[in-house]
């Protein structure tokens, strides 16, 4: 993993990839993207900057990670499409051709390139390939269903898919069978077009008994076109990923690209999020040392566990102190109050010992000491979920890390019950998420349970958008959203509208 925050791209690093090594060999042709939809069968051919390489991939990863979260939360297709629309508009917009938008080509170029960048990042293992194909297919399905009917039909015809149109003579000869397969529809055979395709290509339609089978062919009505196109997209992508995986060892390693690709694939475990103090602070809230105990009910369990350990032992080891100090800094606890908090927390030692052994580290985390090497005097940013999951696993006697990853299921269940999560269905869901290494989804599952009444209220009232309820990937974002939900009647509406974490 590269040490810098991948979301922060150095503006001076706009270097074009080395022509001897770059994957995209020639200048992109303006106007080459005829359709909004894409099967991604052609490798990109234009030059892009390293900054674009990173940022486009990060934006697509946000979309795919949220789409995967929808799948694990068992949202149906309608709920998923509604939830994903604002995120797609923000990170991967694709304007329809009929809008004549000046950004159409740049939007489609970003979509094209970002797909291939992540294809490189997620081809290394079977698990990554399978997950990537699944969520990319889901993304294609959403876009196909939302596309303009004429543009969609033009795209399908242009793909030259291996379907055979059923002629009028054959259609009439099989009219009873076709009508039976369609549940009595259509009443007039000339009102529906039909296609023949190998039955293995449309397993969903066969399973749903929505086609007529004869001689190894599935007769598919035109209204079921989605069931033809989506499996074809998935099949081609799976084959392409296999080809890419075999080619990876032969690719020239670019010392700028390899760490980026590795970091992207690691982020598929949990999406990364950059910290932005302007979007996680709570204006007007009393964030002080004396109030941390009360505020801790809105902490994620990683921070609740640190808080409980501190109160129990009057001590935390180094990484626990660092993780918790930066989190408290992120919720708005200023340096002086943080020093008061730690001094009272370390109640078993003298003032002299505290000043000699711990005071400097707190000041350093805030950037009060340490000079230019310490984020130019701004201190360090609070840890994201991804950083907590991937770096410095806890050892004996240490309380930092992510309980969903680092605890045994028995200990995790005990901790969750201590903080009020006793619903057996929720605990079973957390166990399944943990087994599948979907640690951030387990955390979101608990958040949804703890705040189910408040979430229902803001959804029913329409006061929060789906953007404001997207999957949490940062402890400080967790706290802010929890605090706002628990104080709906106290927090100004403008503050509630600023709940989203910036990426």
């Amino acid at each position: 993993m590269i040490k810098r925050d991948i979301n922060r791209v150095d503006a001076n690093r706009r270097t074009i990839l080395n022509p001897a090594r770059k994957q995209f060999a020639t200048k992109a042709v303006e106007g080459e993207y005829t359709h909004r939809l894409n099967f991604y069968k052609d490798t990109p051919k234009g030059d892009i900057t390293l900054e674009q390489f990173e940022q486009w991939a990060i934006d697509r990863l946000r979309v795919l990670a949220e789409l995967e979260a929808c799948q694990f939360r068992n949202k149906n297709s309608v709920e998923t499409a509604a939830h994903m629309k604002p995120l797609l508009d923000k990170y991967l917009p694709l304007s329809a051709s009929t809008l004549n938008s000046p950004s159409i080509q740049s939007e489609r170029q970003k979509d094209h390139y970002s797909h291939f960048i992540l294809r490189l990042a997620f081809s290394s293992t079977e698990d990554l390939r399978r997950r990537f194909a699944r969520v990319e297919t889901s993304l294609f399905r959403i876009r196909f269903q939302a596309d303009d009917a004429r543009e969609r039909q033009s795209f399908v015809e242009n793909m030259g898919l291996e379907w055979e149109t059923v002629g009028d003579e054959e259609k009439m000869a099989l009219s009873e069978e076709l009508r039976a397969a369609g549940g009595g529809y259509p009443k007039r055979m000339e009102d529906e077009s039909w296609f023949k395709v190998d039955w293995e290509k449309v397993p969903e339609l066969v399973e749903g008994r929505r086609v007529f089978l004869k001689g190894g062919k599935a007769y598919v009505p035109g209204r079921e076109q989605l069931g033809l196109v989506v499996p074809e997209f998935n099949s081609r992508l799976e084959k392409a990923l296999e080809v890419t995986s075999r080619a990876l060892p032969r690719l020239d390693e670019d010392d700028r690209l390899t760490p980026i690709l590795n970091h992207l694939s690691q982020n598929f475990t949990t999406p990364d999020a950059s910290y932005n103090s302007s979007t996680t602070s709570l204006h007007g809230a009393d964030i002080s040392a004396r109030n941390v105990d009360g505020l801790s009910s809105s902490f994620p369990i990683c921070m609740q566990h640190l808080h409980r350990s501190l109160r129990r032992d009057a001590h935390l080891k180094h990484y626990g102190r660092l993780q918790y100090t930066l989190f408290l800094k992120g919720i708005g606890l200023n340096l002086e109050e943080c020093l008061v908090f730690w001094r009272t927390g370390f109640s078993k030692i003298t003032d002299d010992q505290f000043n000699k052994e711990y005071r400097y580290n707190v000041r350093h985390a805030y950037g009060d000491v340490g000079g230019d090497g310490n984020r130019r005097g701004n201190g360090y940013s609070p840890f994201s979920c991804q950083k907590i999951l991937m770096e410095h696993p806890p050892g004996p006697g240490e309380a930092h890390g992510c309980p969903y990853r680092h605890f045994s299921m028995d200990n995790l269940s005990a901790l969750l019950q201590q903080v009020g999560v006793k619903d057996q269905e929720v605990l079973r869901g957390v166990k399944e998420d943990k087994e599948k290494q979907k640690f951030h989804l387990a955390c979101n599952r608990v958040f949804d349970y703890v705040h189910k009444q408040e979430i229902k209220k803001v959804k029913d009232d329409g006061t929060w958008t789906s953007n404001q309820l997207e999957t949490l990937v940062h402890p400080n974002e967790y706290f802010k959203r929890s605090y706002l939900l628990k104080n709906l009647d106290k927090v100004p509406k403008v503050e509630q509208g600023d709940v989203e974490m910036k990426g």
Side-chain angles (χ1 to χ4, degrees):
M1 179 188 300
I2 49 181
K3 294 297 182 185
R4 61 182 175 77
D5 187 343
I6 195 169
N7 289 281
R8 293 193 176 94
V9 181
D10 187 349
N12 296 321
R13 282 194 305 109
R14 300 183 63 87
T15 312
I16 299 296
L17 305 185
N18 186 330
R21 297 178 175 178
K22 65 191 176 188
Q23 299 296 314
F24 315 125
T26 59
K27 198 70 176 176
V29 180
E30 184 69 20
E32 68 175 304
Y33 299 102
T34 307
H35 300 99
R36 184 170 178 254
L37 297 170
N38 197 334
F39 258 33
Y40 309 106
K41 60 187 181 68
D42 298 320
T43 305
K45 294 182 170 61
D47 294 339
I48 61 172
T49 65
L50 195 60
E51 179 183 5
Q52 289 172 319
F53 187 96
E54 285 184 316
Q55 193 59 53
W56 290 358
I58 291 167
D59 287 348
R60 192 180 196 92
L61 182 59
R62 286 192 178 100
V63 168
L64 296 186
E66 188 65 24
L67 188 53
E68 188 176 53
C70 287
Q71 294 173 349
F72 277 90
R73 289 175 168 183
N74 296 317
K75 290 182 181 288
N76 61 38
S77 58
V78 175
E79 292 171 334
T80 298
H83 181 79
M84 293 302 301
K85 187 180 185 307
L87 300 176
L88 287 167
D89 290 344
K90 180 178 180 179
Y91 295 119
L92 278 179
L94 280 181
S95 302
S97 299
T98 52
L99 296 179
N100 295 317
S101 169
S103 61
I104 280 179
Q105 289 305 312
S106 60
E107 289 175 355
R108 295 177 183 181
Q109 183 191 39
K110 177 182 178 180
D111 176 65
H112 188 200
Y113 281 59
S114 62
H115 170 89
F116 272 90
I117 295 167
L118 293 191
R119 187 186 287 190
L120 281 175
F122 300 138
S123 289
S124 58
T125 71
E126 182 180 354
D127 177 62
L128 287 175
R129 291 194 296 273
R130 183 174 60 253
R131 291 172 60 195
F132 181 67
R134 183 176 64 245
V135 290
E136 280 283 344
T137 300
S138 296
L139 176 59
F140 179 83
R141 181 192 296 272
I142 290 173
R143 287 173 164 175
F144 188 87
Q145 291 176 305
D147 204 14
D148 175 82
R150 278 183 289 187
E151 285 191 53
R152 182 171 60 208
Q153 190 58 37
S154 173
F155 168 75
V156 172
E157 292 173 355
N158 187 68
M159 287 304 299
L161 300 171
E162 296 177 357
W163 307 341
E164 181 182 347
T165 302
V166 179
D168 291 340
E169 185 177 340
E170 186 178 10
K171 187 163 61 174
M172 295 309 297
L174 297 172
S175 60
E176 292 303 318
E177 291 88 345
L178 297 178
R179 191 176 288 112
Y185 178 88
K187 292 184 178 180
R188 297 194 318 157
M189 292 306 294
E190 56 267 30
D191 292 339
E192 180 72 276
S193 58
W194 295 77
F195 305 93
K196 279 194 295 188
V197 62
D198 290 340
W199 70 269
E200 296 99 330
K201 289 183 176 291
V202 287
E204 291 182 7
L205 297 181
V206 173
E207 183 181 8
R209 299 185 178 183
R210 302 201 299 273
V211 294
F212 170 61
L213 298 176
K214 180 183 178 183
K217 297 289 185 180
Y219 287 70
V220 183
R223 67 181 182 278
E224 298 286 1
Q225 193 178 67
L226 178 70
L228 285 166
V229 178
V230 171
E232 185 71 22
F233 176 89
N234 184 72
S235 175
R236 292 190 182 195
L237 178 55
E238 287 179 344
K239 291 175 183 176
L241 288 167
E242 287 290 341
V243 171
T244 304
S245 70
R246 291 195 294 269
L248 282 177
R250 300 196 300 273
L251 291 178
D252 284 335
E253 289 192 359
D254 188 307
D255 57 6
R256 293 165 295 176
L257 299 188
T258 302
I260 296 172
L261 294 174
N262 290 339
H263 192 60
L264 288 168
S265 64
Q266 289 173 340
N267 280 355
F268 213 18
T269 300
T270 238
D272 209 348
S274 63
Y275 168 74
N276 186 328
S277 60
S278 67
T279 60
T280 54
S281 58
L282 286 164
H283 305 292
D286 185 6
I287 310 295
S288 58
R290 67 178 180 275
N291 281 341
V292 172
D293 284 341
L295 295 170
S296 67
S297 65
S298 287
F299 293 176
I301 65 164
C302 54
M303 301 305 168
Q304 287 201 43
H305 178 58
L306 284 167
H307 186 77
R308 285 165 170 263
S309 298
L310 175 64
R311 290 293 184 244
R312 182 192 64 216
D313 303 330
H315 187 266
L316 286 176
K317 291 191 175 182
H318 172 72
Y319 283 116
R321 296 197 306 274
L322 179 61
Q323 181 176 314
Y324 197 29
T325 296
L326 293 177
F327 171 78
L328 293 173
K329 173 188 173 186
I331 72 171
L333 193 68
N334 65 38
L335 174 58
E336 290 307 314
E337 287 292 317
C338 195
L339 287 169
V340 170
F341 172 79
W342 282 111
R343 178 64 197 96
T344 55
F346 279 41
S347 57
K348 297 179 180 178
I349 63 174
T350 64
D351 287 343
D352 185 57
Q353 185 179 355
F354 178 81
N355 290 334
K356 285 182 178 179
E357 298 182 19
Y358 303 107
R359 186 181 182 86
Y360 181 89
N361 288 337
V362 176
R363 294 178 61 204
H364 186 264
Y366 273 76
D368 190 49
V369 292
D372 290 343
N374 184 13
R375 293 285 188 187
R376 302 183 185 278
N378 295 321
Y380 295 102
S381 294
F383 293 167
S384 68
C385 295
Q386 198 270 347
K387 187 177 181 70
I388 293 171
L389 281 167
M390 302 302 293
E391 297 185 8
H392 305 299
E398 294 183 307
H400 67 280
C402 172
Y404 296 105
R405 176 169 189 169
H406 298 120
F407 277 28
S408 68
M409 191 58 220
D410 287 343
N411 289 341
L412 175 60
S413 180
L415 176 59
L416 287 172
Q417 292 184 64
Q418 287 172 19
V419 299
V421 182
K422 299 181 180 180
D423 187 286
Q424 291 303 308
E425 184 178 348
V426 175
L427 294 174
R428 280 194 297 271
V430 167
K431 183 175 185 293
E432 292 174 2
D433 293 335
K434 177 176 172 61
E435 290 172 348
K436 295 175 181 176
Q437 298 188 344
K438 306 296 180 187
F439 308 113
H440 66 300
L441 295 184
C443 188
N444 277 266
R445 186 188 296 275
V446 169
F447 182 94
D448 291 348
Y449 170 75
V450 171
H451 303 86
K452 58 185 175 183
Q453 293 181 346
E454 294 89 348
I455 291 173
K456 183 179 185 303
K457 178 175 173 56
V458 296
K459 283 183 175 180
D460 292 345
D461 294 347
T463 52
W464 284 29
T465 67
S466 58
N467 239 358
Q468 292 168 266
L469 292 169
E470 66 180 84
T471 304
L472 294 158
V473 292
H474 200 292
N476 289 86
E477 183 187 5
Y478 185 112
F479 168 74
K480 180 172 184 178
R481 192 180 299 179
S482 174
Y483 182 90
L484 292 177
L485 286 170
K486 290 179 179 180
N487 295 274
L488 289 172
D489 297 330
K490 301 177 184 178
V491 181
K493 289 287 190 285
V494 64
E495 182 77 11
Q496 293 177 27
D498 191 35
V499 71
E500 181 187 357
M501 172 74 95
K502 302 298 182 185

